[in-house]
């Protein structure tokens, strides 16, 4: 005996109830303690549904039984299916049979050998034949292969028993009433959605399945009025539509507290049509998510059988004679030959015929012996997924264990000895892409993989002008989200996203690169597709060109801090150029840079990258306004190249040839030239190399000097270190002087430069 104070209006003597004693931990984490209520000590609590998370009812306690049929003191978990553990499954679209508890049990039975109970629909209290006072007409059999209905009379609407509420709540369903809860429970158990009509609210006692009329309104169970089109299907009575077929029932004929007669519908609908309707209306339900994946006509009677038993048991209903069945039962089963040789040939390892038969029988396939294997009959619930011999082999392999299959190379048509060999290698362009990635990785630059989809406002954030070709992006008609509705035309967006993400999480120095396709379109167009996103992607690719780009961004310190250099300079234009130089030198591709503006780069700190005179990309520091748009803070520098063009140049260059090391001494001289401020150092070096000819072994800038008073305003002095060497002789002073004079004349003539005196 225990003294518990309870103020629930439905508490009575003789009830068996759920009790929590002091020390019990409630579903919300609260630990129960002794309490004093109205001056009396309460040694526990009599529980309502919501207090054990099996329902929403709080006005009264749960009454488990009246009398002594339940043992007092038994753990509540032995009486109610309390969800201490919930299994969350991700079901692929090809397996709608596993959107049912029994389907998952069947898979578990096959995989583990655990015993499997008979299907819950193996016994059906119903009978065939017409139903008095109710009729159904299907005008669109292509969209409704089967429509079944049963009539229940003397129905008592009320709350479901605790066990049913507990199971529904654990599965994410909200208990409503016994009839509605039965439809949801049967759907979760069998995979077949059902809908309950109040038959007394069905005008004329007749239901008609037809295509909707353009603009036809229907008020659904959620209280919303939706306008339909001629591709959608409705169920109507004599007063108009009552339901959107396969998606949601209508408000006019829904079951209410006053309902005494219920018409239980279990129908089969065209999957692609239901998916289109659901997407077009923005209305997704548990029913539509199952129908769109391809539920089979035979499942309608599975659901009817289970629903009939529960309606009789839980509502006290009387099942009227007859079952309306329009279009049933379904197509005949298909038998597929499973050959032993094909199993071992496709898997690369033999599976004994007996083991294959055992697996398929456990999955409820029909199996019969054949001369070279098995004749396998596909059950109706796998009809859409298993259509050929390879599908049967997949079933055998996944249950027997894919981990048992040996690791082998695929056979080719080139015979090697008595067996088969495999010959495969990377294409030249693939090798160059890998060398490029290795070159950047060797410099401490980390590779990222960004989305190929970008937001429509990316071009504005990059400050691209209206006429920039990078604004002409391919648009997806069926994007994953509005922020991923375009195909990228540059890698810069995903690189900046990664910089922003890492900086926001405390990363001071970030060095990243990405190698991947961008999608360019001369004329903007839409990727025409009403199919899923992957098909829209394929259509978009067909409508665009796909150059392979490589981009990199650096921010933070250019090198790690040391005790001698505690504050290294930040990565800037020259750090990015150093990374670019190391990359292209690794690929043995000569290049040049020249000043060139880009809207997303800092003015005066931007350049175009040229290979054989053709522009292949950009180099520079990100414009401060663009950096602010991504909130990356300090200086960000980088580059982006069309790696396809670079790869062609690398391929054309061929393999490097060995040259004997020159044994003759080198002559070094310094030369200072004054040029206008707007002349780039690269232009100066280009003129020097052309004028120096074959005897010029090297040229580099080692100092820059500005002084308006000594060299003039708007001018700059570049100090050049020149190296001369002959491969077949020691150069004389006269030869070097002549070549130096030739360089000086070229600088004066081509760049209006003047040689600065010592």
């Amino acid at each position: 005996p225990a003294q518990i104070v309870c103020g629930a209006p439905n508490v009575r003597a003789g009830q068996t109830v759920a009790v929590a004693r002091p020390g019990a931990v409630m579903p919300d984490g609260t630990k129960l303690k002794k309490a004093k209520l109205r001056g009396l000590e309460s040694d526990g609590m009599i529980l309502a549904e919501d207090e054990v998370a099996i329902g929403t009812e709080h006005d009264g306690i749960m009454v488990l039984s009246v009398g002594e049929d339940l043992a007092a003191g038994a753990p509540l978990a032995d009486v109610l299916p309390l969800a201490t553990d919930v299994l969350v499954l991700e079901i692929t679209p090809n397996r709608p049979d596993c959107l049912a508890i029994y389907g998952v049990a069947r898979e578990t039975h096959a995989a583990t050998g655990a015993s499997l109970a008979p299907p819950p629909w193996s016994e059906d209290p119903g009978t065939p034949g017409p139903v008095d006072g109710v009729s159904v007409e299907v005008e669109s059999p292509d969209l409704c292969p089967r429509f079944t209905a049963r009539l229940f009379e003397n129905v008592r609407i009320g709350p479901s028993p605790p066990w049913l509420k507990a199971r529904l709540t654990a599965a994410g369903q909200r208990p409503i009433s016994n009839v509605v809860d039965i439809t949801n429970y049967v759907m979760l158990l069998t995979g077949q959605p059902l809908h309950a009509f109040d038959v007394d609210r069905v005008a004329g006692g007749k239901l008609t399945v037809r295509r909707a009329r353009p603009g036809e309104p229907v008020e659904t169970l959620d209280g919303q009025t939706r306008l339909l089109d001629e591709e959608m299907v409705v169920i109507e009575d004599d007063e108009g539509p009552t339901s959107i077929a396969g998606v949601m029932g209508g408000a006019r004929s829904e079951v209410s507290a006053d309902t005494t007669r219920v018409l239980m519908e279990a129908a089969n609908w065209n999957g692609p049509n239901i998916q289109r309707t659901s997407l077009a209306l923005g209305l997704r339900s548990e029913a539509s998510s199952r129908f769109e994946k391809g539920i089979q006509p035979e499942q309608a009677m599975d659901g009817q059988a289970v629903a009939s038993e529960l309606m009789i048991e839980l509502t006290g209903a009387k099942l009227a004679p007859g079952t309306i069945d329009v279009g049933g039962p379904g197509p005949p089963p298909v038998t597929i030959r499973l050959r032993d040789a094909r199993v071992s040939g496709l898997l690369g390892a033999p599976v004994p015929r007996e083991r294959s038969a055992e697996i398929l029988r456990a999955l409820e396939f029909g199996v019969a012996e054949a001369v070279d294997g098995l004749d396998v009959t596909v059950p109706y619930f796998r009809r859409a997924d298993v259509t050929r011999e390879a599908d049967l082999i997949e079933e055998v392999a996944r249950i027997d264990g894919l981990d048992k299959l040996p690791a082998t190379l695929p056979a080719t048509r080139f015979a090697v000895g008595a067996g088969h060999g495999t010959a495969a290698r990377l294409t030249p362009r693939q090798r160059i892409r890998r060398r490029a990635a290795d070159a950047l990785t060797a410099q401490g630059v980390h590779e990222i993989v960004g989305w190929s989809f970008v937001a429509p406002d990316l071009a504005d954030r990059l400050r691209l002008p209206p006429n920039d070709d990078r604004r002409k992006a391919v648009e997806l008609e069926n994007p994953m989200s509005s922020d991923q509705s375009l195909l990228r035309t540059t890698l810069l967006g995903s690189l900046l996203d990664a910089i922003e993400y890492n900086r926001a999480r405390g990363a001071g120095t970030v060095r990243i690169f990405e190698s991947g396709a961008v999608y360019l379109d001369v004329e903007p167009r839409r990727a025409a597709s009403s199919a899923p996103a992957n098909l829209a992607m394929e259509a978009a690719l067909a409508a665009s060109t796909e150059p392979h780009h490589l981009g990199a961004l650096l921010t933070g310190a250019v090198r790690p801090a040391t005790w001698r250099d505690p504050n290294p300079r930040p990565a800037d234009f020259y750090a990015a150029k150093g990374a670019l130089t190391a990359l292209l030198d690794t690929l043995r591709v000569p290049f040049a840079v020249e000043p060139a503006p880009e809207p997303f780069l800092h003015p005066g700190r931007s350049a175009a990258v040229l290979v054989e005179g053709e522009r292949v990309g950009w180099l520079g520091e990100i414009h401060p306004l663009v950096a602010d748009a991504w909130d990356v803070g300090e200086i960000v520098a980088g580059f982006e190249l069309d790696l396809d063009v670079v790869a062609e140049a690398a391929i054309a260059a061929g393999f490097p040839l060995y040259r004997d090391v020159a044994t003759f001494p080198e002559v070094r001289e310094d030369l200072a030239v004054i040029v206008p401020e707007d002349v780039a150092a690269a232009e100066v070096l280009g003129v020097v190399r052309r004028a120096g000819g074959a005897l010029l072994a090297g040229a580099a800038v080692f100092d820059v000097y500005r002084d308006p008073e000594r060299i003039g305003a708007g001018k700059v002095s570049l100090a050049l270190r020149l190296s001369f060497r002959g491969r077949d002789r020691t150069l004389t002073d006269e030869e070097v002087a002549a070549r130096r004079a030739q360089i000086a004349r070229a600088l004066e003539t081509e760049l209006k430069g003047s040689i600065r005196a010592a």
Side-chain angles (χ1 to χ4, degrees):
Q3 177 171 290
I4 297 176
V5 179
C6 177
N10 63 329
V11 65
R12 300 285 186 274
Q15 295 172 333
T16 300
V17 295
V19 168
R21 301 299 299 273
V25 179
M26 308 305 291
D28 62 359
T30 302
K31 188 172 183 179
L32 206 61
K33 300 178 181 178
K34 286 187 177 182
K36 183 170 286 189
L37 300 174
R38 301 182 184 180
L40 295 175
E41 187 175 275
S42 182
D43 192 21
M45 180 169 62
I46 302 178
L47 301 173
E49 289 179 359
D50 64 334
E51 290 166 335
V52 289
I54 66 169
T56 59
E57 182 65 37
H58 185 71
D59 292 338
I61 60 170
M62 286 188 295
V63 180
L64 303 181
S65 70
V66 177
E68 299 181 354
D69 54 332
L70 293 178
L76 187 59
D78 294 347
V79 180
L80 297 179
L82 300 177
T84 55
D85 294 292
V86 175
L87 189 64
V88 180
L89 303 176
E90 295 185 9
I91 306 301
T92 53
N94 64 312
R95 295 299 305 273
D97 59 300
C98 289
L99 291 173
I101 294 295
Y102 193 79
V104 175
R106 185 190 297 119
E107 288 287 312
T108 307
H109 161 65
T112 68
S115 59
L116 179 67
W121 52 85
S122 55
E123 295 184 7
D124 186 358
T127 57
V131 176
D132 289 341
V134 182
S135 63
V136 173
E137 180 181 359
V138 177
E139 295 181 358
S140 304
D142 56 325
L143 302 180
C144 179
R146 190 178 194 183
F147 192 103
T148 71
R150 283 180 174 173
L151 178 62
F152 297 88
E153 299 176 322
N154 303 327
V155 176
R156 294 192 301 272
I157 303 295
S160 297
W163 70 264
L164 179 53
K165 291 182 177 181
R167 289 178 180 269
L168 291 178
T169 303
Q173 299 281 332
R174 182 172 62 90
I176 298 174
S177 69
N178 50 7
V179 172
V180 176
D181 293 350
I182 286 170
T183 64
N184 289 329
Y185 180 77
V186 172
M187 176 185 67
L188 294 172
L189 179 61
T190 70
Q192 171 65 46
L194 297 95
H195 180 67
F197 292 89
D198 184 333
V199 73
D200 293 324
R201 300 170 69 182
V202 175
K206 178 181 179 181
L207 295 177
T208 301
V209 179
R210 61 167 175 82
R211 281 179 165 84
R213 300 180 182 90
E216 188 168 27
V218 175
E219 183 183 355
T220 47
L221 289 172
D222 57 3
Q224 301 293 317
T225 298
R226 292 177 165 83
L227 301 180
L228 312 184
D229 62 42
E230 63 275 12
E231 294 299 321
M232 301 174 185
V233 183
V234 297
I235 303 173
E236 71 167 1
D237 59 16
D238 286 354
E239 294 181 1
T242 65
S243 302
I244 303 175
V247 179
M248 186 172 286
R252 185 159 54 82
S253 60
E254 67 176 317
V255 172
S256 67
D258 300 326
T259 298
T260 59
R261 297 203 308 154
V262 170
L263 186 70
M264 189 66 71
E265 168 236 313
N268 181 248
W269 308 99
N270 178 276
N273 178 266
I274 297 301
Q275 183 192 36
R276 179 196 173 278
T277 300
S278 179
L279 289 174
L281 296 177
L283 179 61
R284 189 170 178 82
S285 63
E286 290 280 354
S288 68
S289 68
R290 286 165 170 77
F291 283 126
E292 68 187 20
K293 295 174 177 63
I295 292 177
Q296 298 304 315
E298 291 87 342
Q299 291 180 252
M301 288 309 299
D302 296 347
Q304 285 286 14
V306 180
S308 298
E309 289 188 350
L310 291 174
M311 286 290 291
I312 295 169
E313 176 186 348
L314 302 182
T315 73
K318 175 185 177 183
L319 176 58
T323 300
I324 296 173
D325 189 356
V326 180
V334 175
T335 299
I336 302 172
R337 175 66 58 87
L338 179 63
R339 297 165 293 173
D340 299 336
R342 183 59 176 156
V343 172
S344 59
L346 192 58
L347 297 181
V351 177
R353 185 186 301 184
E354 296 76 15
R355 176 59 176 153
S356 296
E358 177 188 11
I359 291 171
L360 293 171
R361 287 193 182 98
L363 293 171
E364 296 190 19
F365 287 79
V367 178
E369 287 286 335
V371 175
D372 55 350
L374 301 170
D375 282 333
V376 181
T377 302
V378 180
Y380 62 85
F381 52 83
R382 298 299 304 279
R383 180 183 292 132
D385 182 43
V386 179
T387 60
R388 53 183 180 158
E389 186 178 21
D391 296 332
L392 292 175
I393 296 173
E394 180 184 8
E395 296 299 302
V396 170
R398 70 182 181 87
I399 298 297
D400 190 54
L402 293 173
D403 57 313
K404 296 180 181 179
L405 300 180
T408 58
L409 292 173
T412 70
R413 57 187 179 140
F414 302 105
V416 177
H420 292 283
T422 298
R425 57 188 175 191
L426 299 176
T427 66
R429 183 171 294 185
Q430 289 172 328
R431 289 199 299 272
I432 288 168
R433 290 176 184 173
R434 292 198 179 185
R435 284 169 53 197
D438 290 343
L440 289 174
T441 302
Q443 298 180 70
V445 187
H446 300 281
E447 185 172 9
I448 70 164
V449 179
W451 285 102
S452 295
F453 308 110
V454 297
D457 66 345
L458 177 65
D460 293 332
R461 297 175 73 192
L462 292 177
R463 306 175 71 244
L464 297 179
N467 60 345
D468 196 301
D469 283 346
R470 286 166 292 196
R471 277 189 174 272
K472 299 174 181 177
V474 177
E475 182 180 357
L476 298 173
E477 282 194 349
N478 188 20
M480 293 185 291
S481 70
S482 59
D483 288 339
Q484 295 182 322
S485 59
L486 302 179
L487 292 177
R488 66 185 179 187
T489 59
T490 175
L491 301 179
L492 184 55
S494 57
L495 288 168
L496 285 169
D497 287 342
I499 292 282
E500 179 183 38
Y501 182 90
N502 284 274
R503 295 283 295 177
R505 285 153 181 80
T509 298
V510 184
R511 302 164 65 88
I512 56 174
F513 78 93
E514 181 172 6
S515 178
V518 299
Y519 309 96
L520 306 178
D521 208 349
V522 176
E523 294 296 331
R525 68 187 76 176
R526 296 180 69 86
S529 175
S530 58
N534 61 328
L535 299 182
M537 176 74 170
E538 292 177 8
L541 301 188
S544 66
T545 57
E546 305 170 45
H548 193 97
H549 280 204
L550 183 145
L553 286 182
L554 316 174
T555 187
V558 72
R559 59 178 172 271
T562 65
W563 66 270
R564 297 186 62 182
D565 187 11
N567 297 303
R569 66 181 180 85
D572 56 8
F573 176 93
Y574 297 101
K577 185 182 178 185
L580 174 66
T581 301
L583 165 66
L584 294 178
D585 285 351
T586 300
L587 300 180
R588 303 185 185 93
V589 175
F591 75 101
V593 296
E594 64 180 20
E598 282 283 8
F600 46 80
L601 296 181
H602 194 298
R605 301 179 191 175
S606 61
V609 183
L610 308 178
V611 171
E612 297 179 351
E614 179 182 355
R615 178 167 177 160
V616 298
W618 56 263
L619 164 71
E621 295 180 13
I622 301 301
H623 196 289
L625 294 178
V626 176
D628 287 345
W630 268 268
D631 194 23
V632 293
E634 55 190 72
I635 299 172
V636 179
F639 59 84
E640 183 172 348
L641 303 175
D642 186 334
L643 199 53
D644 287 340
V645 179
V646 173
E648 291 302 321
I651 294 170
F655 293 100
L657 300 177
Y658 170 78
R659 293 177 63 183
D660 194 8
V661 177
T663 58
F664 298 96
E666 183 179 78
V667 179
R668 298 174 183 171
E669 292 199 0
D670 294 343
L671 180 68
V673 58
I674 300 173
V675 294
E677 185 78 46
D678 59 354
V679 174
E683 292 183 73
V684 174
L685 292 175
V687 172
V688 169
R689 292 186 180 111
R690 288 195 299 273
L695 296 183
L696 182 66
V701 176
F702 70 89
D703 191 31
V704 179
Y705 175 73
R706 292 179 177 85
D707 189 334
E709 294 182 1
R710 300 189 62 181
I711 65 175
K715 294 184 179 295
V716 61
S717 173
L718 301 180
L720 309 176
R721 180 149 294 154
L722 309 179
S723 301
F724 297 92
R725 172 182 280 157
R727 302 194 63 80
D728 57 350
R729 68 191 186 281
T730 299
L731 298 180
T732 65
D733 291 342
E734 291 76 11
E735 288 179 298
V736 174
R739 196 54 56 99
R740 175 190 173 101
Q742 184 174 324
I743 292 173
R745 286 194 300 272
L747 291 171
E748 293 170 355
T749 303
E750 298 183 32
L751 300 180
K752 298 180 181 180
S754 59
I755 303 303
R756 183 181 168 202

